[in-house]
Amino acid sequence: MNVSTAVFAGSSTRVTGKPQRNLPEFAFIGRSNVGKSSLINMLCRNSTLAKTSSTPGKTKLVNHFLINDSWYLVDLPGYGYAKADRKGREEIAEVIRDYITGSPDLQLLFVLVDSRHVIGRIDLDFIAELGEHGIPFAIIFTKCDKQGPNVFARTLEEDKALLLQQWESLPDMFLSSSEKGTGRAEILGYVEKILNNI
Ligand code: GTP
Ligand code: MG
């Protein structure tokens, strides 16, 4: 799929405040600093669209980006930011929960996991919650430029084993690098397939 236009369409903390056009939404979630905003920029080939930072906890709002005037990419805050105070963490958790359980336009949530580390308990618990709410998701392993394929292959085997303790079958999975553009065609093609089936 071609991304011809990508335009910031608004920020919200509750789903009642999101853009009013009921267009299909694809959202990105994962631990703080895993690379959500960078991935959105890579998919849109626009390095300044979503704000990125080497300091975790950058994205605090739900940010909608209108793609090709027909669907939204949604950048969510990260979960599990250890340095935030308890109140800050609870508020972020509420922003995330409100959006993912309250947006009827959400088609699929991409759960991002750092490809250098085995999937964490916090990710597995989050994914379990998605299952309870019946929210469709796929996993994207990020930052694959940071290590060789053999190292990732071993981590992936561990990830699969952990996921299969919780799920009968594995979700769809992608490997990405926002630095190198890895995974762009696959992820956009996946979105396109879902859009064509709505
Ligand atoms: P929060 O908004 O804080 O939750 O973070 P985020 O998940 O949006 O992460 P962000 O995109 O801001 O990226 C965090 C850091 O990781 C930045 O310094 C990025 O440059 C870096 N980064 C993100 N993706 C990649 C990647 O694919 N490769 C490399 N080498 N670095 C990346
Ligand atoms: Mg971000």
Side-chain angles (χ1 to χ4, degrees):
M1 174 173 29
N2 231 348
V3 174
S4 319
T5 56
V7 184
F8 174 67
S11 300
S12 57
T13 53
R14 292 294 181 270
V15 82
T16 45
K18 80 182 179 93
Q20 291 299 301
R21 289 174 73 184
N22 292 108
L23 297 172
E25 297 174 342
F26 295 83
F28 294 77
I29 188 81
R31 252 187 236 224
S32 196
N33 214 42
V34 70
K36 301 174 289 296
S37 303
S38 303
L39 182 61
I40 287 179
N41 290 344
M42 184 271 267
L43 294 174
C44 298
R45 293 207 166 118
N46 178 340
S47 61
T48 56
L49 191 64
K51 293 203 174 59
T52 66
S53 168
S54 53
T55 317
K58 179 69 183 171
T59 310
K60 295 197 169 64
L61 305 169
V62 175
N63 293 306
H64 279 67
F65 300 96
L66 179 62
I67 311 300
N68 297 347
D69 202 37
S70 57
W71 55 280
Y72 291 109
L73 280 177
V74 182
D75 193 13
L76 294 170
Y79 51 70
Y81 176 37
K83 281 204 186 130
D85 58 24
R86 200 178 62 120
K87 203 160 161 270
R89 271 204 305 271
E90 277 171 10
E91 172 52 22
I92 293 277
E94 192 47 41
V95 170
I96 295 170
R97 188 176 312 117
D98 185 72
Y99 172 76
I100 65 174
T101 61
S103 178
D105 304 308
L106 178 63
Q107 305 300 319
L108 181 111
L109 198 58
F110 287 108
V111 179
L112 275 55
V113 175
D114 191 322
S115 65
R116 292 170 297 172
H117 311 295
V118 173
I119 192 166
R121 178 44 50 198
I122 190 166
D123 302 305
L124 293 167
D125 288 349
F126 182 81
I127 292 172
E129 256 184 68
L130 295 179
E132 281 160 28
H133 289 107
I135 297 164
F137 69 94
I139 295 180
I140 299 178
F141 295 103
T142 63
K143 307 192 185 184
C144 75
D145 57 284
K146 290 204 176 212
Q147 97 251 288
N150 295 340
V151 181
F152 175 65
R154 280 198 297 275
T155 312
L156 181 63
E157 286 315 304
E158 284 189 55
D159 290 336
K160 285 181 180 170
L162 285 166
L163 285 162
L164 286 172
Q165 285 177 8
Q166 212 165 290
W167 296 83
E168 277 178 20
S169 58
L170 290 170
D172 290 326
M173 297 189 277
F174 300 90
L175 186 59
S176 78
S177 162
S178 299
E179 291 278 309
K180 300 236 153 53
T182 314
R184 184 175 184 274
E186 291 79 3
I187 294 164
L188 287 176
Y190 188 72
V191 167
E192 186 171 32
K193 228 166 54 190
I194 296 172
L195 286 172
N196 287 340
N197 282 320
I198 293 173

